[in-house]
Amino acid sequence: MIMNRLFGGKNKGSSATNLQAQKSKQVESLKKIGAVEILRDQEYRVNVKQGSTNLSILINLPSHFPSDKPVLTVQPAVTHPWVDTQMKVVGCNSINNFSMHSDLGLAVQNVLEEFKKTPPVILPQHYNLGSSIPTVGSSVASPNYTQCPYPGSQPSVIPPPLPPRRNQGTVGDLGLDQLTLGHSQITNILSEFPALKDMKLFELEELMSDEEKITEMVQKSQELIKFTQQREELSSACVHLAKSNLSKKPAIDSLKQSIKEKNIELENLKVEFEKHCEHHMTLSDQYHPLHIQSNLKVAVMEADEESEIIAEQFLEKEMDVDEFLKKFMEKRTLCHLRRAKEEKLNHIILSQGLRF
C-alpha cells in the first residue's frame, strides 16, 4: 500500500477509468451518426449508399483507443484518393491526427462528406487487395461489367483473357503494367523507325539476323544523328575553351610573378613598419608627461644642489662676490623655472588622469 502511494499506484485505476470514459464518449459520438455495433467497444459499421451498391465503412477501435487512432476500412473494394490499396482510409486529416480529445463521430462524418463530394469507384469482385490495378488473367469467358463511376456513363468492359504467347506466360501472368510498358516501347520503336511498320514477318526475321542492316538503321536514326551533332558541338566547345584557357597562360604567369614580387615588398614593408613602431614606442615613452615630470624633478634637484655648492664655495672664500652673485643667481633662476614647469605639468597630469 505504501509503495503504491509513493509511486502513484492508485493513479493507474483512475487513468484506466478516464480512458474508458473517453472511449464511451467516442462510441456515443459514433452512434449519433448511425453507426452499428458489431463488437462492443471494438468494431462498428457505417453503411453508405453508393449508386445501386451499399458501401460499408468499418471502424476498428484499438485496445488503447482513444490514445491510439482508429482504423477505417472500406468494403467492397473501391478506388478513391483517400483510400489505399488495402482499402484503409488514409487521406482524412481528422483520422490521421486523431487524439484523445478528438471527436470520432465528426471524423467519420468528414469521410462520408468526402465520399459524397467525390464518389468512390467500385472495383470488380476479383480485384486483389494490395495490387495497384485489377488483373486481366480471369478465367471468366464472358465480359465483366464494372460499376459505373458516374451517373449516365456507360459501363466499362473488362476484356477476356488473351491466349498465351509462345515461350511466355499468359497475359494474366504478365499484368497490365507489363503490357502497357511493352506497348509503349513498341510505339517508341515504330515512331523512331517508321520503316518497320511496312515490313512483313519474314522481312523482320531477316532483319533480326542481319546486324549490318540493324546498325545502318540505327545510324540513320534521327535521335542518334541529333545526339552525334550535340556531341560534336560539345567537343568543339570544349576544344575552344581549352585553347582559350591556354592562350591566357602567359598573362596568368605574369600576374603570378607580380604577386610574388608584391609579397616580397609587403614583407619588407612589414619589417620596416615594425622598426618604426618600436622607435615610436621609445619616443612615446621618452616624451610621456610622467617621464618628463620625473626628469624635471631630477633637474630641479640638480640645480638646487649646484646652487648650494656655489654658496659653500662663496662662504669658504673660493670666489669673489661678483662671481658668486652671477653663478648663484643663474642656478637659482634655473631651479625655480624647472620647479614651476614641474608644478604646471603635474597639474595637467592630475587634471587629465594620465598614466604610464
Side-chain angles (χ1 to χ4, degrees):
M1 294 292 293
I2 296 174
M3 294 298 291
N4 287 338
R5 290 180 181 179
L6 286 175
F7 294 97
K10 288 188 176 181
N11 292 334
K12 294 182 179 178
S14 62
S15 63
T17 304
N18 292 335
L19 187 65
Q20 184 62 34
Q22 289 290 339
K23 195 171 190 178
S24 301
K25 183 179 178 181
Q26 298 292 349
V27 170
E28 289 298 325
S29 69
L30 268 181
K31 292 181 179 179
K32 289 181 180 179
I33 64 171
V36 179
E37 182 178 277
I38 300 176
L39 291 176
R40 181 178 176 81
D41 292 341
Q42 293 184 18
E43 187 173 359
Y44 295 84
R45 182 177 68 242
V46 176
N47 295 323
V48 183
K49 190 71 173 177
Q50 178 63 28
S52 60
T53 306
N54 289 326
L55 291 181
S56 296
I57 300 178
L58 297 180
I59 302 103
N60 294 304
L61 306 182
S63 58
H64 296 287
F65 178 83
S67 296
D68 295 339
K69 63 183 180 181
V71 179
L72 274 64
T73 308
V74 181
Q75 291 181 351
V78 298
T79 58
H80 191 273
W82 279 19
V83 182
D84 64 2
T85 57
Q86 300 296 327
M87 298 302 113
K88 293 181 180 179
V89 177
V90 295
C92 180
N93 291 330
S94 300
I95 300 297
N96 296 337
N97 301 324
F98 191 85
S99 65
M100 183 179 295
H101 303 288
S102 300
D103 191 334
L104 180 57
L106 181 60
V108 176
Q109 188 67 34
N110 291 338
V111 177
L112 297 177
E113 291 177 358
E114 174 64 21
F115 282 3
K116 288 182 181 179
K117 184 168 53 176
T118 306
V121 180
I122 310 297
L123 294 176
Q125 294 182 356
H126 59 270
Y127 175 77
N128 296 325
L129 292 179
S131 61
S132 59
I133 56 174
T135 58
V136 181
S138 173
S139 59
V140 181
S142 61
N144 294 326
Y145 294 89
T146 63
Q147 180 69 25
C148 298
Y150 301 100
S153 61
Q154 297 297 326
S156 59
V157 180
I158 300 177
L162 298 176
R165 299 176 64 183
R166 184 175 59 185
N167 298 329
Q168 295 185 8
T170 63
V171 177
D173 295 333
L174 290 176
L176 283 180
D177 52 350
Q178 296 183 11
L179 289 176
T180 305
L181 179 60
H183 182 268
S184 62
Q185 291 177 347
I186 293 174
T187 303
N188 293 334
I189 293 173
L190 291 178
S191 62
E192 186 63 30
F193 304 99
L196 296 176
K197 295 180 181 179
D198 301 329
M199 287 187 178
K200 297 181 180 180
L201 182 59
F202 72 93
E203 292 177 336
L204 293 174
E205 291 178 350
E206 290 179 357
L207 180 63
M208 289 176 62
S209 60
D210 193 341
E211 294 184 359
E212 293 182 359
K213 287 185 178 181
I214 294 176
T215 304
E216 183 180 356
M217 288 182 62
V218 171
Q219 290 177 349
K220 292 181 180 180
S221 170
Q222 293 297 324
E223 289 293 330
L224 183 59
I225 293 173
K226 183 179 178 180
F227 173 77
T228 304
Q229 291 176 350
Q230 291 178 350
R231 184 187 64 182
E232 294 297 331
E233 291 175 358
L234 288 174
S235 177
S236 300
C238 290
V239 171
H240 177 72
L241 183 61
K243 290 181 179 179
S244 176
N245 290 338
L246 290 174
S247 64
K248 295 176 181 178
K249 187 176 184 301
I252 293 174
D253 293 339
S254 176
L255 291 174
K256 285 182 178 180
Q257 184 62 32
S258 175
I259 291 173
K260 290 180 180 179
E261 295 175 356
K262 294 294 183 182
N263 285 332
I264 295 173
E265 183 180 357
L266 177 62
E267 293 297 329
N268 294 333
L269 289 175
K270 282 183 178 180
V271 173
E272 186 178 356
F273 175 74
E274 290 175 357
K275 291 181 179 179
H276 286 303
C277 285
E278 292 177 359
H279 182 63
H280 171 74
M281 293 300 296
T282 302
L283 294 177
S284 179
D285 294 338
Q286 182 178 354
Y287 291 100
H288 194 275
L290 293 176
H291 188 269
I292 295 174
Q293 184 185 25
S294 299
N295 292 336
L296 282 174
K297 288 180 179 181
V298 173
V300 168
M301 293 175 63
E302 290 177 353
D304 189 54
E305 289 177 359
E306 290 177 358
S307 63
E308 292 293 333
I309 293 173
I310 293 172
E312 289 177 359
Q313 289 177 354
F314 175 73
L315 293 175
E316 292 177 1
K317 298 181 180 181
E318 293 180 1
M319 64 179 61
D320 55 12
V321 176
D322 294 336
E323 185 180 2
F324 164 73
L325 291 175
K326 180 180 179 182
K327 291 181 178 182
F328 184 79
M329 292 300 295
E330 289 178 357
K331 292 299 179 182
R332 294 309 298 176
T333 302
L334 180 61
C335 178
H336 286 296
L337 287 174
R338 288 176 178 177
R339 183 176 284 110
K341 291 180 180 178
E342 189 271 332
E343 290 176 355
K344 181 65 175 178
L345 184 59
N346 184 60
H347 177 73
I348 295 173
I349 290 172
L350 292 176
S351 62
Q352 295 183 2
L354 297 177
R355 296 180 181 179
F356 275 114

